[in-house]
Amino acid sequence: MPAFAVNRFDFTSPPAFADDVRRAERLGWDYAFIPSTPLMLRDPYVNLAFAAERTTRIGLGPLIENPVMRHPAVIASSIATVAGLAPGRTMLTYGVGDTAVRLMGERPATVTRLAEAVTTTRQLLAGEDVEVPATTRRARLTHAAPVPVWVAAGGPRTLHMAGRTADGVFIRVGRHPANLRAAIDAVRAGATAAGRDPDRIRIGAVFHTVLDDDRETAALISRSMAAGYYEYSPQLFGPPGFEWNGPPIEELRAKVWPDFHHAPDLRASGEVVSFLPDQVADAFSLHGTPTEVADQLTRVLDTRLPISLIVAHPMPAPLPGSRSPFIERFATEVIPRLRRRNG
């Protein structure tokens, strides 16, 4: 059985976040993550510090940080500060930026820039000296802490880079076995090319999860999730042998803001792409009743792929100021079913 993480909590204040994370810890979740989105959420590291003080076991970290909004040295300093409050249970995950960056009118990081950020951050957290551009001096993080640095990725170049540079990789490619295998193969190829042991690179998976007893609602939202993947990573339709048999995604994007993964009404955005067949909808999210979601996760585990950590990303996101029932329902209705079926 993999470990399980959730990344949506009560974000109205640091104390509210900390209390909600403590609730997740009591329910048996292994990790609590928080997005780094400056225009939409309060500072992730302040939130994580509050949570660190009010919990004892659950892992903590940002999912996802990026090198566009913050310099890697700032990120390293912030996560090392949290690690001082929660030693041995802190982690950091980088990504190119996507929504958080686009909302600021900036471009997501290039693969090269992301690789440099991961390398620099790992060096700083290990207490190593790093070169400072435009000077002859070198710098060191005075409060370094052993925090693993992961990368969240979906494209082949980013996955390959993550295998070369990171401690772990969260693959974001949906749940179809062909895409999961291709992603893990890319990570392992990157590790091998860099002379690293591929078996030492941990693999996690982020699954958009629509836990809803209303099957019609779950089916529509699952189509919005599939369209969101095609919107930014159309190559993911290749390995499963899918085709996009609808209007051009650019045309449909004009009807959905900001994108198919973050639309305020995911049922409505799913209706925009209702032409997508069931096999496509099934390939890119977990969706349905607790029993159905457990069945879908069982099929993922039956592939025997080396996935050690699963992030159940609730869709739609909880309303601001609310405590998501998803945290309790997944912990009490999905995970126990998985354990009974998978030993």
Side-chain angles (χ1 to χ4, degrees):
M1 283 287 290
F4 284 92
V6 64
N7 62 338
R8 290 294 185 270
F9 294 92
D10 183 347
F11 294 135
T12 53
S13 70
F17 173 75
D19 286 344
D20 215 12
V21 171
R22 183 167 57 181
R23 173 172 71 114
E25 181 178 66
R26 289 171 176 168
L27 286 167
W29 288 91
D30 300 294
Y31 290 88
F33 295 136
I34 183 172
S36 180
T37 308
L39 285 180
M40 299 178 69
L41 297 178
R42 290 167 174 79
D43 185 272
Y45 301 100
V46 174
N47 277 291
L48 290 168
F50 272 73
E53 291 283 81
R54 298 193 184 184
T55 57
T56 59
R57 176 193 58 81
I58 197 166
L60 301 167
L63 179 73
I64 307 168
E65 187 55 274
N66 71 81
V68 178
M69 308 304 297
R70 292 181 174 90
H71 190 278
V74 176
I75 294 171
S77 178
S78 295
I79 197 64
T81 301
V82 176
L85 301 172
R89 56 188 181 102
T90 307
M91 62 185 291
L92 168 69
T93 302
Y94 267 112
V96 297
D98 284 336
T99 306
V101 171
R102 296 178 196 276
L103 287 173
M104 292 290 291
E106 301 287 344
R107 291 180 178 274
T110 63
V111 175
T112 298
R113 183 174 182 181
L114 184 58
E116 292 171 349
V118 172
T119 299
T120 298
T121 303
R122 290 186 72 218
Q123 290 172 332
L124 288 169
L125 291 171
E128 300 175 6
D129 290 344
V130 298
E131 293 184 2
V132 180
T135 76
T136 58
R137 301 182 61 186
R138 295 176 68 82
R140 175 179 293 189
L141 186 65
T142 58
H143 49 288
V147 177
V149 179
W150 288 47
V151 168
R157 290 184 62 235
T158 310
L159 289 162
H160 193 278
M161 175 278 294
R164 297 195 310 268
T165 62
D167 296 302
V169 185
F170 281 116
I171 54 178
R172 295 193 299 166
V173 296
R175 64 179 178 89
H176 195 283
N179 277 330
L180 291 171
R181 288 193 184 95
I184 293 172
D185 286 347
V187 172
R188 294 177 67 85
T192 300
R196 308 175 76 194
D197 180 357
D199 292 332
R200 294 182 66 84
I201 312 301
R202 292 186 64 195
I203 300 293
V206 179
F207 295 132
H208 290 81
T209 306
V210 187
L211 189 60
D212 199 312
D213 295 322
D214 183 334
R215 289 187 172 89
E216 181 183 355
T217 295
L220 283 172
I221 296 177
S222 72
R223 281 161 171 77
S224 191
M225 296 301 99
Y229 277 100
Y230 185 80
E231 188 175 7
Y232 292 113
S233 303
Q235 74 275 5
L236 293 176
F237 272 48
F242 298 150
E243 294 183 358
W244 182 267
N245 293 319
I249 191 67
E250 293 77 14
E251 177 183 326
L252 298 178
R253 187 182 290 153
K255 303 177 182 180
V256 177
W257 187 92
D259 55 41
F260 280 93
H261 278 174
H262 299 90
D265 186 343
L266 292 174
R267 184 185 170 100
S269 59
E271 290 174 343
V272 172
V273 289
S274 59
F275 58 84
L276 290 173
D278 288 345
Q279 61 266 34
V280 173
D282 289 345
F284 291 100
S285 66
L286 305 169
H287 60 94
T289 66
T291 298
E292 290 167 335
V293 169
D295 288 342
Q296 294 158 11
L297 272 172
T298 294
R299 290 196 288 274
V300 170
L301 298 180
D302 284 346
T303 63
R304 302 299 178 186
L305 294 170
I307 298 172
S308 63
L309 176 54
I310 289 175
V311 180
H313 181 16
M315 302 301 294
L319 294 173
S322 66
R323 286 202 165 191
S324 170
F326 178 93
I327 292 176
E328 183 163 356
R329 290 201 70 189
F330 195 96
T332 60
E333 299 180 51
V334 176
I335 294 177
R337 285 180 168 88
L338 282 172
R339 287 182 174 143
R340 286 196 296 269
R341 297 176 188 180
N342 298 281

